[in-house]
Amino acid sequence: MFTTQWSVNELAKRQYLFKLSTNGAVFTTLIVLQIIGTIFISGAGSTFMNDWGEGITFNFTSISNDGQVGLTLFWALIVGFLLTSAAQRNESFSFVTNRLTFQLANFYFICTAALLGGVTTVLLGSVMKIVALFGDNIIIETTGLLTSPLDFFSRILVMTAYTLLLMMIGYLLGTLIQFSKLFIVLFGLIWFMYFTFGINLSVGEGESLLYFYYGETSILLFILKVVVSVSVLFGISFFVTNRLEVRNP
Amino acid sequence: MMIFMVLIPVLLLLGLVLIVIFTKNMKRTRLKKKFHRNFIFGYLLLLLLGLVVAEVMERKVEHQNPPKVNVEDVEFDLPAAIIEGTPIPEKFVLAKRSHKVKGELVIPSFTNAYLLIERTPDNSHTITETVYTPELMANIGDENDVYYDVTERLESALPIWESNLMTVPKQPLNNIQYTFYHDSNILNQFTGEKTYGYSSGSVSRSMTIHLIVPESIVLKLPELENEYGTYIDVIE
Amino acid sequence: MPAITLKNVTKSYRSITVLNQLNLEIRENVITGLVGRNGVGKTTLMKMVAGFIKESDGELRVFGERPFNSLKVSANMIFIDDMMGFPDALTLGDLLMECDRFYENWDQDLAMRLLEYFKLPLTLNHRVLSKGKRSTFNAVVGIATRCPLTMFDEPITGMDAGARRDFYRALLKDYLAHPRTILLSSHHMEEMEDLLEDILIIDGKSIAFHGPITELQEKFLSLQAKESVLKSHATRYGVVHRSNAGPMTEWIVDNEHTEAEVDELKQAGIRVSALSASEAYLAMTGQTTGGVDDVYNAMERE
């Protein structure tokens, strides 16, 4: 007879802790990426030069954490994808779980990773600022934590939100591909169509997809949009994975 | 566009492979899970330390952002203002001098300055000289037309007067270096800070010398080689 | 109440049917041996019971619950095989801690002692273990979790004779101290015969035999004599298997003879003997010696 009864919450929590302890490398990868990125970027800040031939030349070196932002988002997409691998699934199913707790644990893990991505990227801004402060004639456009703490935390929020979104997109792509390899063909086709028929996704276009998030000026609406998007992405992943057979060669 | 179509998936795949290999390797090198935990917390600690250092340095290191000016000020047309006699802001005036000259005024050829000569019908021998600063305004990736006025950092050498000879010395080379820091645009969605594009530009003007010369004084100006070299204008 | 109930359970992958219309009840707190030839669906049956894969049709119940996506079944069940996905990042010691996290009846002390006995240091990674050592570790996990339903799929893969003996011994001892339902699949039936109470033989997508091991032993008789003698006397009952070993021919026949009939056979000079469970299993599933010889003999004849 049954001797053990777990609640979904309790088990999701334990699966999450298990995921954390087995996937330390995921976080370490981010850190190594960020460190390497920071070294490269700060070694070669983009320099612009203006020479008007009047004996006056103006050079400036622009330093920002754009590079780290890009790397972190890139990492997010790939990690989201990797979490759906068969190995990850088999590891979890070696212990007590069902598909719901497995997915919830994945989701908690993704949230944790997104938070780490958000916090580290914003903090890397201050590292880049230190690099800038060693330069000549400094112009600093970004206020620090003490000057405007709310801005500082809004940066963390925004970065975390975008990291979370990209991870969930990667997670959904991975889930669909795990479900059927035919999705690879479909995604390839969509990608091709996108470039051939030029569905515009670029920033600044009032109706583009990116602008839906990026153009939002109200922080509450932005949070709402992200929460709804993440729920939809997770919902689809959940629906697909809930019928997935595991340990099935 | 077509390049991106191929490049982005290739980059993504490359990244995927690299990260997979990297994480696999890391798992294989038998790093204890404690290692990862320590590494992560150590890194966070280091970043927090970086934050503190940045906050302190920002206050300790003497730096002041140059004043910002709007595009209208950037487009202030100094020669036109001189000719039309419209008021010129005091900040542009570098020196105001007058010189006694008899007979003729010789001005040898010079570079990197602009000379505007106004003739007056009086017979005095006094030349009024007003030297206006060179000017440099820089737009650093700012999509709005707000410029940093870095005029203060420019150096210039005043004309030298010896009896009836005015020489404009070789102007010091003004090579201005700036280091500019701003957080990524993505992060500044709700901070009210401006977004930065990748364009940049600067507006500069060399030193302007305005001479009011009585008609009784004969001007001996250098021969201008071509139209582009017109750095001397005489208003009759 | 039976631990596992199957009613008309079918499992198929697209057009291939692996298990067809199984009806089965596994008794609670009994060690059942699951035997069958390669690819008859032993692993599929176990994975279905574990809730890893979904039955295509029919009703499958484990302790009254449908196992697919059941947290209750997962929490009270462990499925051990040599493909268990243990994360690379964790050492054996870490893995034991994880077991402790997930399984309520987990006996950490027992697991540590067993690993020590089998010379498996806690600092090793699961990935670097040899095949036999890995199987040993997995088996230790299976024993120490003390799940109400414990399933071993080919647990002895790669183990040496000593380790196999020790494993069966440890399993039996622990079972006696903490009775539970155990499903054990293996090709080496002769080694686990002493351990088993029930036997479940799967052959050709369905159940060939399910019942106590003694029943299997009594199911058949072995008759040995010259072929002509057998042909004239032993015609009454179904012959499961015929084989020629030198001058003697052996027939394995259904054991439905009355005592008088057996005496009659003996008087005709036929050696009548009982079969061991594994011999009976081999006979039933057509694995007795000479099987593959027939292929070559047939080829030579043509």
Side-chain angles (χ1 to χ4, degrees):
Chain A
M1 256 340 280
F2 289 129
T3 59
T4 313
Q5 301 237 17
W6 294 107
S7 73
V8 169
N9 261 339
E10 179 60 26
L11 208 62
K13 206 180 84 195
R14 290 186 188 216
Q15 276 281 342
Y16 162 70
L17 292 176
F18 168 69
K19 266 213 136 51
L20 277 188
S21 64
T22 57
N23 282 308
V26 165
F27 300 113
T28 311
T29 308
L30 171 71
I31 295 173
V32 170
L33 262 182
Q34 285 184 342
I35 291 174
I36 294 173
T38 304
I39 290 168
F40 272 103
I41 294 162
S42 53
S46 45
T47 303
F48 301 89
M49 196 166 138
N50 290 285
D51 190 349
W52 291 71
E54 288 168 329
I56 300 173
T57 54
F58 178 74
N59 299 330
F60 72 93
T61 306
S62 182
I63 293 177
S64 82
N65 56 355
D66 275 331
Q68 287 92 336
V69 169
L71 275 178
T72 305
L73 293 180
F74 180 64
W75 165 85
L77 189 66
I78 288 172
V79 164
F81 187 82
L82 285 182
L83 281 178
T84 62
S85 73
Q88 288 277 344
R89 229 175 19 241
N90 290 348
E91 281 172 20
S92 292
F93 275 86
S94 285
F95 298 101
V96 179
T97 191
N98 65 5
R99 281 149 199 84
L100 174 64
T101 52
F102 166 69
Q103 294 254 46
L104 282 176
N106 270 347
F107 182 66
Y108 298 159
F109 181 80
I110 284 176
C111 289
T112 312
L115 186 66
L116 186 83
V119 170
T120 52
T121 311
V122 172
L123 284 177
L124 273 174
S126 36
V127 172
M128 296 308 284
K129 199 183 256 182
I130 296 174
V131 173
L133 280 164
F134 280 111
D136 334 298
N137 305 325
I138 312 129
I139 300 178
I140 289 181
E141 274 280 359
T142 301
T143 48
L145 172 63
L146 290 179
T147 325
S148 46
L150 274 181
D151 282 359
F152 185 81
F153 289 113
S154 94
R155 284 189 196 106
I156 292 184
L157 177 87
V158 168
M159 189 60 201
T160 305
Y162 283 121
T163 313
L164 181 63
L165 264 179
L166 272 174
M167 281 191 160
M168 287 311 297
I169 290 171
Y171 189 71
L172 178 63
L173 294 185
T175 303
L176 289 175
I177 288 172
Q178 287 293 334
F179 183 70
S180 166
K181 298 284 179 284
L182 282 179
F183 276 102
I184 298 174
V185 181
L186 183 71
F187 294 142
L189 217 65
I190 291 175
W191 185 252
F192 179 75
M193 301 263 273
Y194 162 63
F195 274 100
T196 314
F197 301 107
I199 309 147
N200 203 348
L201 284 173
S202 66
V203 185
E205 296 289 317
E207 286 164 12
S208 68
L209 188 61
L210 280 182
Y211 194 76
F212 177 71
Y213 302 104
Y214 191 68
E216 184 55 61
T217 48
S218 152
I219 198 158
L220 284 177
L221 273 178
F222 176 76
I223 293 174
L224 187 73
K225 280 178 178 179
V226 170
V227 166
V228 169
S229 313
V230 167
S231 312
V232 169
L233 290 169
F234 183 69
I236 301 172
S237 302
F238 177 76
F239 182 74
V240 173
T241 305
N242 209 31
R243 43 183 63 204
L244 198 68
E245 301 191 327
V246 294
R247 303 280 314 277
N248 192 10
Chain B
M1 270 312 234
M2 275 316 193
I3 288 175
F4 284 118
M5 175 175 148
V6 181
L7 208 63
I8 293 175
V10 166
L11 273 178
L12 275 176
L13 278 180
L14 209 70
L16 185 72
V17 170
L18 276 177
I19 289 183
V20 168
I21 291 174
F22 190 75
T23 36
K24 278 267 154 68
N25 263 338
M26 205 135 53
K27 283 177 172 177
R28 276 171 192 202
T29 40
R30 281 191 233 168
L31 293 174
K32 297 271 164 58
K33 56 178 185 178
K34 269 200 182 125
F35 165 83
H36 293 290
R37 195 186 308 154
N38 295 343
F39 191 62
I40 294 162
F41 284 111
Y43 182 65
L44 280 175
L45 212 67
L46 205 70
L47 285 181
L48 284 175
L49 194 73
L51 177 70
V52 173
V53 170
E55 291 289 325
V56 171
M57 269 180 86
E58 218 182 324
R59 275 157 190 76
K60 281 277 163 67
V61 174
E62 292 220 349
H63 93 276
Q64 208 165 14
N65 289 0
K68 286 182 178 179
V69 286
N70 286 321
V71 71
E72 302 92 66
D73 299 322
V74 174
E75 281 166 353
F76 182 75
D77 191 347
L78 186 69
I82 293 168
I83 294 162
E84 283 156 26
T86 48
I88 298 165
E90 241 349 84
K91 62 172 183 178
F92 289 139
V93 180
L94 194 62
K96 212 165 182 151
R97 301 183 291 192
S98 55
H99 311 276
K100 290 267 179 203
V101 174
K102 280 177 185 164
E104 56 175 24
L105 174 65
V106 182
I107 302 173
S109 164
F110 58 88
T111 54
N112 291 339
Y114 174 61
L115 180 59
L116 193 67
I117 301 169
E118 191 181 337
R119 305 307 298 261
T120 48
D122 71 85
N123 281 326
S124 74
H125 297 286
T126 312
I127 296 173
T128 316
E129 181 201 23
T130 315
V131 184
Y132 295 98
T133 53
E135 214 184 356
L136 176 62
M137 273 167 263
N139 175 330
I140 306 175
D142 191 342
E143 281 167 348
N144 310 310
D145 285 330
V146 175
Y147 283 66
Y148 279 108
D149 186 353
V150 291
T151 303
E152 265 185 20
R153 307 203 71 90
L154 294 178
E155 289 170 8
S156 43
L158 290 177
I160 301 160
W161 292 78
E162 288 167 76
S163 63
N164 65 342
L165 178 73
M166 184 190 92
T167 31
V168 179
K170 193 168 188 292
Q171 291 298 310
L173 269 179
N174 279 301
N175 188 2
I176 311 278
Q177 298 274 358
Y178 262 94
T179 306
F180 177 74
Y181 179 78
H182 69 92
D183 260 358
S184 178
N185 284 341
I186 294 174
L187 303 181
N188 281 323
Q189 191 168 345
F190 299 108
T191 58
E193 273 169 27
K194 296 182 309 281
T195 55
Y196 291 88
Y198 291 95
S199 64
S200 67
S202 62
V203 174
S204 67
R205 188 178 59 225
S206 49
M207 184 173 77
T208 306
I209 308 159
H210 177 213
L211 296 179
I212 301 172
V213 184
E215 275 179 347
S216 55
I217 298 174
V218 179
L219 280 176
K220 281 203 110 171
L221 301 177
E223 294 222 344
L224 298 177
E225 280 162 10
N226 53 48
E227 268 183 62
Y228 294 107
T230 310
Y231 47 86
I232 300 175
D233 274 320
V234 181
I235 310 162
E236 297 294 339
Chain C
M1 183 188 162
I4 304 169
T5 323
L6 281 84
K7 279 185 192 147
N8 297 324
V9 171
T10 298
K11 176 68 196 175
S12 48
Y13 295 103
R14 293 210 177 83
S15 57
I16 305 156
T17 305
V18 183
L19 293 170
N20 194 21
Q21 301 276 332
L22 294 196
N23 283 295
L24 180 64
E25 281 186 359
I26 303 264
R27 292 190 287 152
E28 200 178 341
N29 295 340
V30 160
I31 304 185
T32 304
L34 181 53
V35 286
R37 303 202 63 173
N38 289 334
V40 292
K42 299 190 298 282
T43 304
T44 305
L45 175 64
M46 283 182 158
K47 282 184 176 172
M48 221 151 56
V49 171
F52 291 163
I53 58 179
K54 200 157 59 176
E55 65 275 19
S56 309
D57 197 20
E59 196 184 289
L60 170 62
R61 291 286 177 274
V62 176
F63 301 122
E65 280 243 350
R66 189 177 176 222
F68 192 76
N69 265 343
S70 163
L71 215 50
K72 274 191 192 169
V73 171
S74 182
N76 291 284
M77 171 286 303
I78 190 161
F79 174 71
I80 304 287
D81 70 350
D82 60 339
M83 303 283 280
M84 278 185 96
F86 284 126
D88 289 349
L90 301 187
T91 62
L92 299 187
D94 292 335
L95 286 174
L96 295 190
M97 309 256 282
E98 294 299 336
C99 291
D100 196 19
R101 197 208 294 281
F102 284 106
Y103 295 101
E104 212 165 46
N105 300 339
W106 175 254
D107 190 333
Q108 177 77 8
D109 190 44
L110 173 70
M112 304 253 277
R113 282 165 191 269
L114 282 176
L115 288 193
E116 201 189 332
Y117 173 77
F118 285 113
K119 298 196 173 55
L120 282 160
L122 294 179
T123 49
L124 277 186
N125 267 60
H126 192 259
R127 193 186 52 81
V128 301
L129 297 180
S130 72
K131 205 168 182 181
K133 288 275 183 193
R134 191 175 308 171
S135 292
T136 308
F137 176 79
N138 295 356
V140 167
V141 168
I143 292 172
T145 42
R146 294 204 174 128
C147 280
L149 172 60
T150 307
M151 292 189 281
F152 293 97
D153 186 17
E154 303 288 345
I156 53 168
T157 310
M159 284 190 205
D160 56 35
R164 291 210 290 270
R165 199 190 51 232
D166 287 338
F167 161 66
Y168 288 127
R169 189 97 197 110
L171 184 64
L172 185 61
K173 274 189 170 295
D174 210 67
Y175 165 73
L176 292 174
H178 304 271
R180 55 193 122 148
T181 312
I182 295 174
L183 260 180
L184 190 59
S185 93
S186 176
H187 294 299
H188 300 262
M189 190 166 152
E190 65 286 354
E191 281 181 11
M192 58 179 192
E193 232 173 290
D194 307 335
L195 194 70
L196 304 176
E197 290 161 67
D198 277 9
I199 283 255
L200 172 60
I201 300 174
I202 298 184
D203 196 30
K205 297 174 191 173
S206 52
I207 296 165
F209 176 83
H210 181 218
I213 195 158
T214 46
E215 207 174 285
L216 180 65
Q217 286 162 346
E218 289 162 3
K219 203 170 157 59
F220 303 110
L221 278 183
S222 161
L223 308 179
Q224 280 176 306
K226 288 212 169 73
E227 195 168 0
S228 54
V229 179
L230 285 173
K231 272 185 177 160
S232 57
H233 288 85
T235 48
R236 210 166 313 176
Y237 301 101
V239 180
V240 180
H241 182 76
R242 295 161 216 258
S243 63
N244 295 309
M248 298 293 255
T249 296
E250 183 186 15
W251 282 10
I252 294 172
V253 296
D254 287 333
N255 185 10
E256 286 164 353
H257 300 69
T258 58
E259 218 140 291
E261 284 166 351
V262 172
D263 285 343
E264 194 183 305
L265 290 172
K266 280 182 180 164
Q267 272 165 12
I270 298 172
R271 248 179 73 195
V272 181
S273 55
L275 284 167
S276 74
S278 55
E279 282 166 336
Y281 154 66
L282 293 176
M284 274 186 84
T285 53
Q287 286 187 74
T288 37
T289 47
V292 95
D293 281 348
D294 294 345
V295 175
Y296 285 94
N297 293 341
M299 281 171 72
E300 276 165 22
R301 257 177 267 135
E302 274 167 21

